[in-house]
Every structure is written in C-alpha cells, then in structure tokens.
Amino acid sequence: MVDLTTSSYAEIEALDATALAEATALGATEHLSDAHSGRDYLLLEQELQGANPALAARTRLLEGLISVQLRSPHLDEQQVQSRIKGIYGRDNDTADFLFLPVNNASPDDLRSLGTHWSLLFADGRSRERAVAHHYDSAGHYNRSIAQQLAGLLNATLAPAPMARQPNDYDCGVYVLDATWALVGRLIGGEGPDHQLRPLDDLVADRQALQDRLRRRLPHEEEPGSCE
C-alpha cells in the first residue's frame, strides 16, 4: 500500500480528496483535469511501489499544477529553487526521474484551466547532464513552456518522438498513457542513461483510462465498509 503522506504527489501539494473521488468519471470527449491526472498517478505510484520499491523511491510523479506554479511571476528565484528542492529531495534520498504533466494555463491566473497537456520526463541520473524529454501529442505546442521548465530543473530539453492526437481533447490521455509506458520501460531496465525513448507508436486508450480511474485508491474504503 502506498503511504499517501510520503508519496511524491502528496508531498508537493495533495489534491482535495473530494476532487480525487469525483475524478473516477471521465466522459467520452471530456478534457482531463488535474484531479484525473492526479488520481491516475497515484494508481501508477501504487503499481510502481509493488513492482520495484527502489525505483519508486527514485521517481516523482508530480501534480500538473506544478508546471504552472513554477512559472508564476509572483515567485522570486529563491522561492522557485526552494520548491524545486522540495520536488527533488525527500528525507535523505534524491529523485532521479521526474514526470511532470505540462499545462499551458496562464501562470498569472491559477483559475485558468489551459487548453493543452504535454509531458516532461526529466532524467537526472547524471547530475551534470540531466535531460528533460518532452512528449507533446500536438507537436511543439508546449515547447516554449517545456524549455522554461527544463531550465528551472537544470536540465537540457530534448524533444522526444510522440504519437499525434487525432482530435482536440485527448492530449491528457496521451500524457498519462505515455507516463505508464515510460515507467514500464524503467521497470524493465530499458536503455542506458539519457537514451531517447520514442513514443511515436503510442496508442492512447481512453477506455482503459476510464477503467483505471474507477479503481479505488489505497485510502478509499471498500464499498459497504463500516470503518
């Protein structure tokens, strides 16, 4: 069972439990919310903990809102660096892998929902040459934002081959399915450091995501439980 008090997601800024509970439903053409991605990342974290606890300790699955907050003009450099330190370090260990959904919402207005999601996968195993692979199902739509975030993470941006979405609402599904695919490759020990991981053959599966979102999180009670 994942300890939600120390999970990579919860340690940054946990989503409201009500929002996570409501994220069990996803419509046929509905755009993903931060709660949808947060719920799916908690499910993935549970899978990763069970499959490879050591890798789980080196991996951070982050809230998409972080991609907006780090770009806020209301944060000074010290505040940004403090937040990044909180992302990378926990207790005495340091993250090697960061998965950050990138949203193009305006950092000036956190009520803005944005119109597009992409994925930034930062590989920091070599601290001197960290690389941030950017997977964007709309080509280079979020590239400038990804470049800014990579710089804040002291990583070199590397645009990565990614399958193109066939519509205007599945970008978030591509982000989540890409994360599951990349984590699966890490579990399998694929490739040397910083090897480009193409996902140009990725097939996003909204139905599979809908099924996953209906799974219970570790802290959610069984139906009919008296506890």
Side-chain angles (χ1 to χ4, degrees), residues 200-211:
D200 49 345
D201 60 349
L202 180 72
V203 178
D205 191 337
R206 178 172 284 257
Q207 181 61 60
L209 174 58
Q210 290 170 325
D211 293 341

Side-chain angles (χ1 to χ4, degrees), residues 119 135 160-163 177-179 181-182 185 197-202:
L119 175 66
Y135 296 87
M162 176 66 156
D177 283 2
T179 305
L182 291 167
R185 293 179 183 183
R197 295 174 169 83
L199 290 176
D200 49 345
D201 60 349
L202 180 72

Side-chain angles (χ1 to χ4, degrees), residues 2-156:
V2 176
D3 180 358
L4 295 180
T5 64
T6 59
S7 74
S8 59
Y9 195 95
E11 75 174 335
I12 301 301
E13 187 168 6
L15 283 167
D16 182 84
T18 301
L20 286 174
E22 292 175 349
T24 55
L26 177 66
T29 60
E30 182 181 357
H31 288 263
L32 263 69
S33 68
D34 215 35
H36 288 122
S37 61
R39 185 177 185 87
D40 198 47
Y41 269 13
L42 285 173
L43 291 166
L44 176 54
E45 188 172 61
Q46 183 182 17
E47 295 267 345
L48 180 56
Q49 285 278 5
N52 191 327
L55 177 60
R58 299 163 54 210
T59 303
R60 302 289 183 269
L61 302 170
L62 302 174
E63 181 181 352
L65 183 60
I66 298 299
S67 72
V68 181
Q69 292 175 332
L70 287 177
R71 297 183 286 117
S72 172
H74 305 296
L75 295 181
D76 59 31
E77 183 176 354
Q78 183 176 359
Q79 290 172 313
V80 170
Q81 291 305 314
S82 175
R83 196 157 185 80
I84 290 174
K85 182 178 179 180
I87 291 172
Y88 269 110
R90 182 176 65 205
D91 298 328
N92 293 321
D93 70 294
T94 302
D96 287 332
F97 306 111
L98 302 181
F99 290 89
L100 176 60
V102 176
N103 189 278
N104 68 338
S106 169
D108 293 313
D109 181 7
L110 293 182
R111 294 171 298 178
S112 169
L113 299 178
T115 60
H116 184 60
W117 290 100
S118 59
L119 175 66
L120 199 65
F121 166 42
D123 182 346
R125 283 174 288 183
S126 173
R127 298 294 184 251
E128 299 302 319
R129 55 186 185 94
V131 176
H133 303 281
H134 185 224
Y135 296 87
D136 193 334
S137 59
H140 302 299
Y141 199 92
N142 277 353
R143 182 167 184 171
S144 62
I145 297 174
Q147 181 73 64
Q148 182 180 0
L149 292 169
L152 292 173
L153 296 172
N154 295 317
T156 300

